[in-house]
Structures are given as C-alpha cells and as structure tokens.
Amino acid sequence: MNHAKKNRLLLYMGILIVLLLIFLRFGFYFFRSGGFSGLSMLIPVLLLCFLLSALCTSVFFAAWVYQDCVRRGDDPVLWAVVVFAATPFIGLLIYFLRRLEIKTICPSCGHRISVKAKYCEECGTHVEKEDHFVMEKQGTHHLKFVAAGIVSMVFMLACLTGFIASAASLNGINTNAASNERVWNLGTISMNYNSYLDDVWKLDFKRASEGFVKEQNMMIADADKQLLYADISCGLVPDQAELVLWLVQGDVAKSMDVTNLSEPLKYPLHEFENGKVHVRLQINGVKDTVSEIYIR
C-alpha cells in the first residue's frame, strides 16, 4: 500500500512539474519577446488553453490506465507514463494492444488465474462460474476519468479550431512592417543563422515565405551623429523579388530597397529619437541572402 501511494505521489509531482514548465515557458517567451505586442490576447489564450486541455486529457487517460493496470496486476506507473508521454491517442493504442488479461485469485492457493479459467493452473482447484459472473459484471471502471478525458479532449479540439481560425483570418495579428508594434509571421523562413551579438545583427537565410518579416530591436544612443550600416548580399533574386529594410520608431517609418546594394548602406538617423528602434527585413522572394546590420 505504501509503495502504491509513493508511486501516485511521484506521478502527481510529475504532472505538477509539467504544468509549471508550461507556465514558465509562456512567461519566459513573454518577457524575452517583449510581450504579445501586435497580437490579440485571444490567440495566446486559445493556445494556452489548448496546451492545458491537452495536458488534462493526457492526465485523465493516464489516470484511468493507472487504475486499469492495478486491476490487472500490471505496472501502473510505467503504463501511465507511457500514455502521458506518447499522447493519449498513441499511448492508449499501445496499451490496449499490450494490456494484460484481467485475473482473479484462486480461492484455494491464492495464485492469480484468468477469469476465463475453469481450473487453477497452479493447484488444479475448480473455479466456480459465479466468480466469473461477478468479474464480468464489473464493466468499465473509473468512468469519471474517462468522462473527464473526453470532455478535456473536446475542449482541446475547440481551442485548436479557434486558434487556427483566428490565425487564418489574420484577425488580431499585426503583419504590417510599418507598425510600431511587433510584427507576427504566419509563414516560415529557412535560416543558416540569426544572431545579435555586440550590437551587430547577422542574418543568413536560404528562403522565406512571401512577405516574411524578420525583426531585431536596436538602440540609438545619438541620433544626430550615428548611422545605420547595412551590408546585404542577395544570392538569388527572381523577377519582381525584393528585400526591403524598415526602420520604425513610433510614428516614424522609413523603408528602403536593399535588394541590389553595390556597397554597404549608410543611413543617417537624425529623423529618429534616441532609444529603441525596430529594424526589419521584409523578404519578398529573394533567396540565399546574407546580411550584417548595426548602428555606429
């Protein structure tokens, strides 16, 4: 009994740790990215609800598997972890293909035998059919876990549908490169590297979705004297493709075509104020591009 309680305690602690990691991940992303500027709060809320409901679905089905393993004399912690880690769909499939047959106790020698057995394989004692009937009448056990798992799954699918619908409609998502708020991308970018060290932004990408915006915030210490330097080389420029450099600060938004620079760009910053400025590259079809941008 103490061993079973210890196993349950470890399982509950593991669930709490996973929940804590999810909240910490969201918190870390929130502070690292400057919050959810440019994004309707509905979208991260739907995403968070989806993750939590998916976690609850795994927990409830793992709890049912735990009780089912106890009932069948199998390892409950092992299978609960398998179902939880492999997602309920895959985990339950594996479990149902592998789970042990329900067994009962021989009234004579105490050996565990199949509920379908007529005689104990250990001592040969005849097992009464009434015992089988009692076992068969038990039916599905711990229905509260199954019901809670199904409810969580329905809520998870509803949150996922809402998240996809909101993202696809672009409602509440800022995609304007001239906006002072953060720009969010629904496309993809294939990068070799992206770094910002010693106030130098280096970006090397192979290709990106049309209109993809890559952004880096920089600091202007002396707008009257400093310049923005941009050394950019586009390896492949299809017809009508371009690479646009944006500088955005408050209501001031400046853009310039940097697709075919013959020499590094030197752009004066006297139109801006000292402080943070959004430096963005809007990618419209160019490929195999290497850039190095900084303020000096």
Side-chain angles (χ1 to χ4, degrees), residues 18-39:
V18 171
L19 280 171
L20 180 62
L21 289 175
I22 290 176
F23 281 108
L24 287 177
R25 179 69 181 89
F26 262 78
F28 176 76
Y29 181 81
F30 181 87
F31 288 110
R32 184 175 180 272
S33 62
F36 295 110
S37 172
L39 189 68

Side-chain angles (χ1 to χ4, degrees), residues 43-168:
I43 293 177
V45 166
L46 284 173
L47 181 60
L48 180 59
C49 289
F50 165 74
L51 294 174
L52 291 178
S53 56
L55 178 64
C56 289
T57 302
S58 297
V59 168
F60 288 129
F61 283 120
W64 181 85
V65 168
Y66 182 96
Q67 298 298 335
D68 193 62
C69 286
V70 171
R71 186 169 177 245
R72 296 171 184 272
D74 208 340
D75 188 335
V77 174
L78 173 63
W79 280 107
V81 170
V82 168
V83 171
F84 181 82
T87 72
F89 310 104
I90 300 176
L92 285 175
L93 176 62
I94 296 173
Y95 176 68
F96 281 122
L97 292 175
R98 165 64 180 75
R99 71 172 179 170
L100 299 178
E101 181 185 11
I102 296 179
K103 293 187 177 182
T104 187
I105 304 298
C106 173
S108 178
C109 67
H111 182 72
R112 295 181 65 85
I113 58 175
S114 170
V115 294
K116 299 178 181 180
K118 296 181 179 180
Y119 296 91
C120 174
E121 59 187 22
E122 184 71 16
C123 64
T125 301
H126 178 68
V127 181
E128 298 294 334
K129 291 184 178 180
E130 287 75 14
D131 294 337
H132 292 266
F133 180 78
V134 172
M135 293 295 295
E136 292 171 358
K137 289 294 288 182
Q138 289 183 7
T140 302
H141 59 90
H142 293 87
L143 285 174
K144 58 182 181 181
F145 290 136
V146 177
I150 293 174
V151 171
S152 298
M153 186 184 301
V154 171
F155 185 66
M156 174 188 72
L157 295 175
C159 291
L160 179 61
T161 302
F163 175 80
I164 294 175
S166 298

